[in-house]
Amino acid sequence: TSEIIIKIISETLSTLGMRLSKGKTKFHEDIIYNSIKKDKLSWKLKHNSNMSLFDSLMAVKDFSMEHQNSGTIIKEMTRIYKRIYGWQKEHFKKDFEIFIAITCDIAIHNPSAFPACAALLSKFLSFLDDTETKKNINDIIEKLGNISYTGYIEVWLQRVTIKQNIKYLFNDELCKLNNSKTHNIWNSDWLHSKLRNKIKSTNFFDQNIISKLDNVINPNEISMFLINKSSV
């Protein structure tokens, strides 16, 4: 039946000079099963709402190996973060470095989920002392430093560390603006001197806003990154 329907549609489209895309056109006998995206179905079959934090992160990690950058990963990492945002140290049953390692691994393979990953890292790091925090941040930067979207990650890592007692110097041009008001992120020599001086004298970091930030990222800070994935 499905073959006949596709044949009729194809013949009709051909009269209009159009055709179905082979890459996007599929037919199935089981309408119910195949009406759900494979990544969503895979997640529904393996996910359990009663999972521990460790099991939840491992489930996302396992899922992400088959469905890289799926919108489901962003949603689940955000859901996990909202779940633990108000937790105190005694709620966590395992070493924080284990959670940090799993979260970093998910971030490496799923850059679109990094805002939620950064938020989780900020929560885990908040329970460590300065020495442990510095060690873990250095490990995170080293682990994530060899991937192509390092700049994007460094911007979020700067948000994670900007309220810490330890200062970190990141390589991304945008991150350097917080350390030097005179740093140029682009070549503006070709601009009129008045406009060029205006740009150079502008502080792109609003210290008033930064002073009000908590060292743990608020869920509202990452919620905007769910908008484009709301229908995935």
Side-chain angles (χ1 to χ4, degrees), residues 191-200:
L191 294 174
H192 188 279
S193 59
K194 288 185 178 181
L195 182 56
R196 186 168 63 248
N197 292 332
K198 179 68 175 178
I199 293 175
K200 288 183 178 181

Side-chain angles (χ1 to χ4, degrees), residues 19-31:
R19 63 179 181 178
L20 292 173
S21 170
K22 292 183 179 180
K24 296 182 178 180
T25 305
K26 299 178 182 179
F27 60 89
H28 304 278
E29 296 296 335
D30 191 331
I31 298 176

Side-chain angles (χ1 to χ4, degrees), residues 204-215:
F204 291 95
F205 271 73
D206 191 328
Q207 297 300 329
N208 290 327
I209 292 179
I210 292 176
S211 66
K212 297 175 183 178
L213 293 175
D214 189 12
N215 62 329

Side-chain angles (χ1 to χ4, degrees), residues 86-224:
W87 283 15
Q88 300 302 313
K89 190 172 184 178
E90 58 269 18
H91 285 92
F92 297 89
K93 305 299 183 183
K94 293 184 180 294
D95 194 312
F96 289 108
E97 292 188 354
I98 295 176
F99 297 132
I100 290 172
I102 299 172
T103 302
C104 283
D105 192 79
I106 293 172
I108 288 174
H109 297 98
N110 305 275
S112 61
F114 200 81
C117 292
L120 281 163
L121 291 174
S122 75
K123 182 67 176 180
F124 301 144
L125 292 170
S126 70
F127 295 111
L128 305 179
D129 60 33
D130 288 350
T131 301
E132 292 174 318
T133 298
K134 185 175 182 179
K135 175 186 177 300
N136 277 277
I137 286 292
N138 288 334
D139 289 344
I140 291 169
I141 293 174
E142 182 178 354
K143 191 170 186 178
L144 303 180
N146 295 322
I147 50 184
S148 58
Y149 36 87
T150 304
Y152 176 65
I153 288 177
E154 283 196 347
V155 169
W156 275 103
L157 286 179
Q158 186 177 63
R159 169 60 188 95
V160 172
T161 62
I162 202 166
K163 297 293 289 186
Q164 302 286 349
N165 294 325
I166 310 163
K167 299 299 181 182
Y168 299 92
L169 298 178
F170 294 100
N171 295 319
D172 183 76
E173 298 301 318
L174 289 176
C175 292
K176 290 178 181 178
L177 285 173
N178 188 48
N179 302 316
S180 173
K181 293 182 179 180
T182 60
H183 180 73
N184 292 323
I185 59 175
W186 57 74
N187 186 341
S188 57
D189 292 342
W190 56 277
L191 294 174
H192 188 279
S193 59
K194 288 185 178 181
L195 182 56
R196 186 168 63 248
N197 292 332
K198 179 68 175 178
I199 293 175
K200 288 183 178 181
S201 63
T202 300
N203 187 357
F204 291 95
F205 271 73
D206 191 328
Q207 297 300 329
N208 290 327
I209 292 179
I210 292 176
S211 66
K212 297 175 183 178
L213 293 175
D214 189 12
N215 62 329
V216 177
I217 296 176
N218 190 291
N220 291 332
E221 291 184 55
I222 63 173
S223 61
M224 67 182 72

